[in-house]
Amino acid sequence: MPIWNQLRQSAQTMQGQLAAKKNDLKSGAFRDASMAICALVAAADGTIDLAERQRVASLIISNDVLNNFPADDLQRRFNDYVGKLQADFEFGKVSVLQDIGKTKKKPAEARAVIQIGIVIGGADGTFDKSEQAVVREACFAVGISPEEFDL
């Protein structure tokens, strides 16, 4: 099976797993960490252009699990994280990873955040090395082995 089909299938599987946990994923820490990882993956290559920002925003709005939260609130939080990363990527990344790490005490939320990062990263049909690297860092922030997600 071609690699992009495997990636698409994996992302669909993860989205299904997330949907099954939807009712357990309603905390503020999960909301913030989800937006943080979306911004981190979008900016993984060091830049985020308007088209990429809009694509990620539409994925956030259409994500069934994230429908637990008001769309305008998610958009504002996503934009805040993107702003931190654009101002100074390395310093912003530290702050973003700290917010992702706040889900560490709830393993179901932590795994869901990582899965959202992978789904966002693979949404365009590729999950490139820079996206994989930031999701791997997020795994360490939440105390989950990256190998669990083949990272």
Side-chain angles (χ1 to χ4, degrees):
M1 175 184 304
I3 191 74
W4 59 86
N5 285 342
Q6 289 174 338
L7 180 62
R8 186 176 304 119
Q9 185 175 2
S10 177
Q12 289 172 345
T13 299
M14 285 187 190
Q15 187 58 41
Q17 292 169 348
L18 286 169
K21 299 175 195 169
K22 179 180 179 176
N23 291 331
D24 298 329
L25 303 172
K26 294 183 177 182
S27 77
F30 171 73
R31 175 202 59 215
D32 293 350
S34 296
M35 294 304 93
I37 200 160
C38 287
L40 187 59
V41 170
D45 62 1
T47 63
I48 180 169
D49 62 26
L50 183 59
E52 185 172 24
R53 202 172 178 152
Q54 289 172 336
R55 180 178 53 82
V56 173
S58 70
L59 289 169
I60 290 167
I61 291 168
S62 66
N63 186 296
D64 190 41
V65 176
L66 296 174
N67 282 335
N68 285 334
F69 308 102
D72 59 334
D73 185 37
L74 294 176
Q75 183 71 40
R76 183 184 55 77
R77 290 173 193 280
F78 172 72
N79 288 333
D80 289 347
Y81 286 118
V82 167
K84 287 180 183 181
L85 292 163
Q86 285 181 319
D88 182 334
F89 183 76
E90 289 304 318
F91 187 71
K93 184 168 70 167
V94 171
S95 173
V96 167
L97 287 170
Q98 286 176 337
D99 281 357
I100 291 170
K102 290 178 182 177
T103 62
K104 188 175 187 173
K105 293 179 183 173
K106 294 185 178 179
E109 288 185 1
R111 279 186 179 73
V113 168
I114 300 303
Q115 289 174 320
I116 286 172
I118 293 169
V119 168
I120 293 294
D124 62 359
T126 61
F127 189 37
D128 66 42
K129 297 286 185 201
S130 61
E131 293 168 335
Q132 291 176 31
V134 296
V135 173
R136 192 175 307 110
E137 288 183 73
C139 285
F140 292 123
V142 298
I144 295 175
S145 171
E147 286 78 29
E148 185 176 323
F149 298 97
D150 293 327
L151 298 171

Short mmCIF file of all heavy atoms in Angstrom, two decimals, residues 65-110:
data_model
loop_
_atom_site.label_atom_id
_atom_site.label_comp_id
_atom_site.label_asym_id
_atom_site.label_seq_id
_atom_site.Cartn_x
_atom_site.Cartn_y
_atom_site.Cartn_z
N VAL A 65 -14.53 15.94 17.75
CA VAL A 65 -14.15 15.99 19.16
C VAL A 65 -14.06 17.44 19.64
O VAL A 65 -14.46 17.76 20.76
CB VAL A 65 -12.80 15.26 19.39
CG1 VAL A 65 -12.35 15.40 20.83
CG2 VAL A 65 -12.94 13.79 19.02
N LEU A 66 -13.55 18.30 18.79
CA LEU A 66 -13.37 19.70 19.19
C LEU A 66 -14.68 20.48 19.16
O LEU A 66 -14.73 21.61 19.63
CB LEU A 66 -12.31 20.36 18.31
CG LEU A 66 -10.91 19.76 18.48
CD1 LEU A 66 -9.94 20.36 17.48
CD2 LEU A 66 -10.40 19.93 19.90
N ASN A 67 -15.75 19.86 18.66
CA ASN A 67 -17.06 20.50 18.69
C ASN A 67 -17.60 20.64 20.11
O ASN A 67 -18.62 21.29 20.33
CB ASN A 67 -18.07 19.73 17.83
CG ASN A 67 -17.89 20.01 16.37
OD1 ASN A 67 -17.36 21.05 15.98
ND2 ASN A 67 -18.30 19.07 15.53
N ASN A 68 -16.90 20.06 21.09
CA ASN A 68 -17.27 20.25 22.50
C ASN A 68 -17.05 21.70 22.93
O ASN A 68 -17.54 22.10 23.98
CB ASN A 68 -16.42 19.34 23.41
CG ASN A 68 -16.85 17.90 23.37
OD1 ASN A 68 -17.99 17.59 23.08
ND2 ASN A 68 -15.92 17.00 23.66
N PHE A 69 -16.30 22.46 22.14
CA PHE A 69 -15.92 23.82 22.51
C PHE A 69 -16.41 24.81 21.44
O PHE A 69 -16.50 24.45 20.28
CB PHE A 69 -14.39 23.92 22.62
CG PHE A 69 -13.81 22.86 23.52
CD1 PHE A 69 -13.20 21.73 22.99
CD2 PHE A 69 -13.89 22.98 24.90
CE1 PHE A 69 -12.67 20.76 23.81
CE2 PHE A 69 -13.36 22.00 25.73
CZ PHE A 69 -12.75 20.88 25.18
N PRO A 70 -16.71 26.05 21.84
CA PRO A 70 -17.15 27.05 20.87
C PRO A 70 -16.06 27.32 19.81
O PRO A 70 -14.89 27.51 20.16
CB PRO A 70 -17.40 28.30 21.71
CG PRO A 70 -17.53 27.82 23.12
CD PRO A 70 -16.70 26.58 23.22
N ALA A 71 -16.47 27.33 18.56
CA ALA A 71 -15.52 27.50 17.46
C ALA A 71 -14.74 28.81 17.55
O ALA A 71 -13.54 28.84 17.28
CB ALA A 71 -16.26 27.41 16.12
N ASP A 72 -15.41 29.90 17.94
CA ASP A 72 -14.70 31.18 18.02
C ASP A 72 -13.63 31.17 19.12
O ASP A 72 -12.57 31.78 18.98
CB ASP A 72 -15.67 32.35 18.20
CG ASP A 72 -16.53 32.24 19.44
OD1 ASP A 72 -16.78 31.11 19.93
OD2 ASP A 72 -16.99 33.29 19.92
N ASP A 73 -13.90 30.45 20.21
CA ASP A 73 -12.91 30.32 21.28
C ASP A 73 -11.71 29.51 20.80
O ASP A 73 -10.56 29.88 21.06
CB ASP A 73 -13.56 29.65 22.50
CG ASP A 73 -12.64 29.59 23.70
OD1 ASP A 73 -11.88 30.56 23.92
OD2 ASP A 73 -12.68 28.58 24.43
N LEU A 74 -11.96 28.41 20.10
CA LEU A 74 -10.87 27.61 19.55
C LEU A 74 -10.03 28.43 18.57
O LEU A 74 -8.81 28.38 18.60
CB LEU A 74 -11.43 26.36 18.85
CG LEU A 74 -12.11 25.33 19.73
CD1 LEU A 74 -12.69 24.21 18.87
CD2 LEU A 74 -11.17 24.78 20.78
N GLN A 75 -10.70 29.18 17.72
CA GLN A 75 -10.01 30.01 16.73
C GLN A 75 -9.10 31.03 17.42
O GLN A 75 -7.94 31.21 17.03
CB GLN A 75 -11.02 30.73 15.83
CG GLN A 75 -10.39 31.55 14.73
CD GLN A 75 -9.78 30.68 13.64
OE1 GLN A 75 -10.36 29.67 13.26
NE2 GLN A 75 -8.63 31.05 13.16
N ARG A 76 -9.61 31.68 18.44
CA ARG A 76 -8.82 32.67 19.17
C ARG A 76 -7.60 32.03 19.81
O ARG A 76 -6.49 32.55 19.72
CB ARG A 76 -9.69 33.35 20.24
CG ARG A 76 -8.96 34.46 21.01
CD ARG A 76 -9.83 35.04 22.12
NE ARG A 76 -10.34 34.05 23.06
CZ ARG A 76 -9.61 33.48 24.04
NH1 ARG A 76 -8.35 33.78 24.18
NH2 ARG A 76 -10.17 32.60 24.86
N ARG A 77 -7.79 30.89 20.43
CA ARG A 77 -6.68 30.19 21.09
C ARG A 77 -5.65 29.73 20.06
O ARG A 77 -4.44 29.86 20.27
CB ARG A 77 -7.18 29.02 21.92
CG ARG A 77 -7.95 29.49 23.15
CD ARG A 77 -8.61 28.33 23.90
NE ARG A 77 -9.56 28.85 24.86
CZ ARG A 77 -9.24 29.33 26.05
NH1 ARG A 77 -7.98 29.35 26.44
NH2 ARG A 77 -10.17 29.78 26.87
N PHE A 78 -6.11 29.17 18.96
CA PHE A 78 -5.21 28.74 17.89
C PHE A 78 -4.39 29.93 17.39
O PHE A 78 -3.16 29.84 17.27
CB PHE A 78 -6.01 28.11 16.75
CG PHE A 78 -5.21 27.81 15.52
CD1 PHE A 78 -4.28 26.77 15.52
CD2 PHE A 78 -5.37 28.56 14.37
CE1 PHE A 78 -3.54 26.49 14.38
CE2 PHE A 78 -4.63 28.29 13.23
CZ PHE A 78 -3.71 27.25 13.24
N ASN A 79 -5.06 31.04 17.13
CA ASN A 79 -4.35 32.24 16.66
C ASN A 79 -3.35 32.76 17.68
O ASN A 79 -2.26 33.22 17.30
CB ASN A 79 -5.35 33.34 16.28
CG ASN A 79 -6.09 33.03 15.01
OD1 ASN A 79 -5.60 32.31 14.14
ND2 ASN A 79 -7.29 33.56 14.87
N ASP A 80 -3.68 32.69 18.97
CA ASP A 80 -2.74 33.10 20.01
C ASP A 80 -1.48 32.24 19.99
O ASP A 80 -0.36 32.75 20.08
CB ASP A 80 -3.38 33.02 21.40
CG ASP A 80 -4.44 34.10 21.64
OD1 ASP A 80 -4.52 35.06 20.84
OD2 ASP A 80 -5.18 33.97 22.63
N TYR A 81 -1.65 30.93 19.85
CA TYR A 81 -0.49 30.03 19.79
C TYR A 81 0.33 30.28 18.53
O TYR A 81 1.56 30.30 18.59
CB TYR A 81 -0.92 28.56 19.87
CG TYR A 81 -1.36 28.14 21.25
CD1 TYR A 81 -2.66 27.71 21.50
CD2 TYR A 81 -0.47 28.18 22.32
CE1 TYR A 81 -3.05 27.33 22.76
CE2 TYR A 81 -0.86 27.79 23.60
CZ TYR A 81 -2.15 27.36 23.81
OH TYR A 81 -2.55 26.98 25.08
N VAL A 82 -0.35 30.47 17.42
CA VAL A 82 0.37 30.76 16.17
C VAL A 82 1.17 32.05 16.33
O VAL A 82 2.34 32.13 15.92
CB VAL A 82 -0.60 30.86 14.96
CG1 VAL A 82 0.07 31.47 13.76
CG2 VAL A 82 -1.16 29.48 14.64
N GLY A 83 0.58 33.06 16.96
CA GLY A 83 1.28 34.33 17.18
C GLY A 83 2.55 34.13 17.99
O GLY A 83 3.60 34.72 17.67
N LYS A 84 2.49 33.31 19.04
CA LYS A 84 3.68 33.03 19.85
C LYS A 84 4.76 32.37 19.01
O LYS A 84 5.94 32.70 19.12
CB LYS A 84 3.34 32.10 21.02
CG LYS A 84 2.56 32.73 22.13
CD LYS A 84 2.29 31.71 23.23
CE LYS A 84 1.45 32.31 24.34
NZ LYS A 84 1.19 31.37 25.42
N LEU A 85 4.35 31.42 18.17
CA LEU A 85 5.31 30.70 17.36
C LEU A 85 5.90 31.58 16.26
O LEU A 85 7.08 31.44 15.92
CB LEU A 85 4.66 29.45 16.76
CG LEU A 85 4.30 28.37 17.79
CD1 LEU A 85 3.31 27.38 17.22
CD2 LEU A 85 5.56 27.67 18.30
N GLN A 86 5.10 32.48 15.71
CA GLN A 86 5.60 33.38 14.67
C GLN A 86 6.53 34.43 15.24
O GLN A 86 7.49 34.83 14.57
CB GLN A 86 4.43 34.04 13.93
CG GLN A 86 3.73 33.10 12.98
CD GLN A 86 2.60 33.76 12.24
OE1 GLN A 86 1.82 34.53 12.81
NE2 GLN A 86 2.47 33.44 10.96
N ALA A 87 6.27 34.88 16.45
CA ALA A 87 7.10 35.92 17.06
C ALA A 87 8.52 35.40 17.31
O ALA A 87 9.50 36.11 17.06
CB ALA A 87 6.47 36.42 18.35
N ASP A 88 8.63 34.19 17.82
CA ASP A 88 9.93 33.58 18.10
C ASP A 88 9.66 32.08 18.21
O ASP A 88 9.19 31.60 19.25
CB ASP A 88 10.52 34.13 19.40
CG ASP A 88 11.89 33.56 19.72
OD1 ASP A 88 12.21 32.43 19.27
OD2 ASP A 88 12.64 34.23 20.44
N PHE A 89 9.95 31.35 17.14
CA PHE A 89 9.55 29.94 17.07
C PHE A 89 10.10 29.13 18.24
O PHE A 89 9.35 28.39 18.89
CB PHE A 89 9.96 29.30 15.74
CG PHE A 89 9.49 27.87 15.62
CD1 PHE A 89 8.16 27.59 15.36
CD2 PHE A 89 10.37 26.81 15.82
CE1 PHE A 89 7.71 26.27 15.28
CE2 PHE A 89 9.93 25.50 15.74
CZ PHE A 89 8.60 25.23 15.47
N GLU A 90 11.38 29.22 18.51
CA GLU A 90 11.98 28.38 19.56
C GLU A 90 11.43 28.73 20.94
O GLU A 90 11.09 27.85 21.72
CB GLU A 90 13.50 28.47 19.54
CG GLU A 90 14.13 27.79 18.34
CD GLU A 90 13.74 26.32 18.19
OE1 GLU A 90 13.70 25.59 19.21
OE2 GLU A 90 13.46 25.89 17.05
N PHE A 91 11.32 30.01 21.26
CA PHE A 91 10.78 30.43 22.55
C PHE A 91 9.29 30.10 22.62
O PHE A 91 8.79 29.60 23.64
CB PHE A 91 11.02 31.92 22.78
CG PHE A 91 10.64 32.37 24.15
CD1 PHE A 91 11.38 32.01 25.26
CD2 PHE A 91 9.51 33.16 24.35
CE1 PHE A 91 11.03 32.42 26.54
CE2 PHE A 91 9.14 33.58 25.62
CZ PHE A 91 9.91 33.20 26.71
N GLY A 92 8.56 30.35 21.54
CA GLY A 92 7.13 30.04 21.49
C GLY A 92 6.88 28.55 21.65
O GLY A 92 5.92 28.14 22.30
N LYS A 93 7.77 27.75 21.07
CA LYS A 93 7.62 26.29 21.15
C LYS A 93 7.70 25.82 22.60
O LYS A 93 6.94 24.94 23.02
CB LYS A 93 8.67 25.60 20.29
CG LYS A 93 8.52 24.10 20.26
CD LYS A 93 9.37 23.45 19.19
CE LYS A 93 10.83 23.52 19.53
NZ LYS A 93 11.65 22.64 18.67
N VAL A 94 8.58 26.41 23.39
CA VAL A 94 8.69 26.06 24.81
C VAL A 94 7.36 26.32 25.51
O VAL A 94 6.85 25.47 26.25
CB VAL A 94 9.84 26.84 25.48
CG1 VAL A 94 9.82 26.64 26.99
CG2 VAL A 94 11.18 26.41 24.90
N SER A 95 6.78 27.48 25.27
CA SER A 95 5.51 27.85 25.89
C SER A 95 4.38 26.91 25.43
O SER A 95 3.57 26.45 26.24
CB SER A 95 5.18 29.30 25.54
OG SER A 95 3.89 29.63 25.98
N VAL A 96 4.35 26.63 24.14
CA VAL A 96 3.31 25.76 23.58
C VAL A 96 3.43 24.35 24.15
O VAL A 96 2.43 23.73 24.54
CB VAL A 96 3.41 25.78 22.03
CG1 VAL A 96 2.58 24.68 21.41
CG2 VAL A 96 2.99 27.14 21.49
N LEU A 97 4.65 23.83 24.23
CA LEU A 97 4.86 22.49 24.78
C LEU A 97 4.48 22.42 26.27
O LEU A 97 3.99 21.39 26.74
CB LEU A 97 6.30 22.03 24.58
CG LEU A 97 6.66 21.65 23.13
CD1 LEU A 97 8.16 21.46 22.98
CD2 LEU A 97 5.90 20.41 22.68
N GLN A 98 4.66 23.52 26.98
CA GLN A 98 4.23 23.55 28.39
C GLN A 98 2.71 23.39 28.48
O GLN A 98 2.21 22.67 29.34
CB GLN A 98 4.67 24.85 29.06
CG GLN A 98 6.15 24.89 29.37
CD GLN A 98 6.57 26.23 29.95
OE1 GLN A 98 5.91 27.26 29.76
NE2 GLN A 98 7.70 26.22 30.65
N ASP A 99 1.98 24.07 27.61
CA ASP A 99 0.51 23.94 27.63
C ASP A 99 0.08 22.54 27.21
O ASP A 99 -0.88 21.99 27.76
CB ASP A 99 -0.14 25.00 26.75
CG ASP A 99 -0.21 26.35 27.46
OD1 ASP A 99 0.20 26.44 28.64
OD2 ASP A 99 -0.68 27.32 26.84
N ILE A 100 0.78 21.95 26.25
CA ILE A 100 0.48 20.57 25.85
C ILE A 100 0.74 19.64 27.04
O ILE A 100 -0.05 18.74 27.32
CB ILE A 100 1.32 20.17 24.62
CG1 ILE A 100 0.84 20.95 23.39
CG2 ILE A 100 1.24 18.66 24.38
CD1 ILE A 100 1.74 20.83 22.18
N GLY A 101 1.81 19.88 27.77
CA GLY A 101 2.17 19.05 28.91
C GLY A 101 1.17 19.07 30.05
O GLY A 101 1.19 18.19 30.91
N LYS A 102 0.27 20.04 30.06
CA LYS A 102 -0.73 20.11 31.13
C LYS A 102 -1.72 18.95 31.09
O LYS A 102 -2.47 18.75 32.04
CB LYS A 102 -1.47 21.45 31.08
CG LYS A 102 -0.57 22.62 31.48
CD LYS A 102 -1.29 23.94 31.38
CE LYS A 102 -0.34 25.09 31.73
NZ LYS A 102 -0.98 26.39 31.57
N THR A 103 -1.73 18.19 30.00
CA THR A 103 -2.62 17.02 29.91
C THR A 103 -1.94 15.75 30.42
O THR A 103 -2.55 14.68 30.44
CB THR A 103 -3.09 16.78 28.46
OG1 THR A 103 -1.95 16.51 27.64
CG2 THR A 103 -3.87 17.97 27.94
N LYS A 104 -0.70 15.86 30.85
CA LYS A 104 0.09 14.69 31.26
C LYS A 104 -0.59 13.86 32.35
O LYS A 104 -0.48 12.64 32.36
CB LYS A 104 1.46 15.17 31.74
CG LYS A 104 2.44 14.07 32.02
CD LYS A 104 3.80 14.67 32.36
CE LYS A 104 4.84 13.58 32.47
NZ LYS A 104 6.19 14.15 32.63
N LYS A 105 -1.31 14.50 33.25
CA LYS A 105 -1.94 13.79 34.37
C LYS A 105 -3.18 13.01 33.95
O LYS A 105 -3.72 12.23 34.73
CB LYS A 105 -2.29 14.77 35.49
CG LYS A 105 -1.06 15.36 36.14
CD LYS A 105 -1.44 16.34 37.22
CE LYS A 105 -0.18 16.97 37.81
NZ LYS A 105 -0.49 18.04 38.74
N LYS A 106 -3.66 13.25 32.75
CA LYS A 106 -4.83 12.53 32.24
C LYS A 106 -4.42 11.84 30.94
O LYS A 106 -4.50 12.43 29.85
CB LYS A 106 -5.99 13.49 31.98
CG LYS A 106 -6.54 14.10 33.26
CD LYS A 106 -7.76 14.94 32.97
CE LYS A 106 -8.33 15.51 34.26
NZ LYS A 106 -9.51 16.34 33.98
N PRO A 107 -3.98 10.58 31.03
CA PRO A 107 -3.45 9.88 29.86
C PRO A 107 -4.39 9.85 28.65
O PRO A 107 -3.92 9.95 27.52
CB PRO A 107 -3.18 8.46 30.38
CG PRO A 107 -2.96 8.65 31.85
CD PRO A 107 -3.87 9.78 32.25
N ALA A 108 -5.69 9.75 28.86
CA ALA A 108 -6.62 9.74 27.72
C ALA A 108 -6.57 11.07 26.97
O ALA A 108 -6.57 11.10 25.74
CB ALA A 108 -8.04 9.45 28.19
N GLU A 109 -6.51 12.17 27.72
CA GLU A 109 -6.41 13.49 27.09
C GLU A 109 -5.06 13.65 26.39
O GLU A 109 -4.99 14.17 25.28
CB GLU A 109 -6.58 14.60 28.12
CG GLU A 109 -7.99 14.74 28.61
CD GLU A 109 -8.19 15.93 29.54
OE1 GLU A 109 -7.22 16.68 29.81
OE2 GLU A 109 -9.33 16.12 30.00
N ALA A 110 -4.00 13.20 27.05
CA ALA A 110 -2.66 13.32 26.47
C ALA A 110 -2.58 12.57 25.13
O ALA A 110 -2.08 13.11 24.13
CB ALA A 110 -1.62 12.79 27.44
#
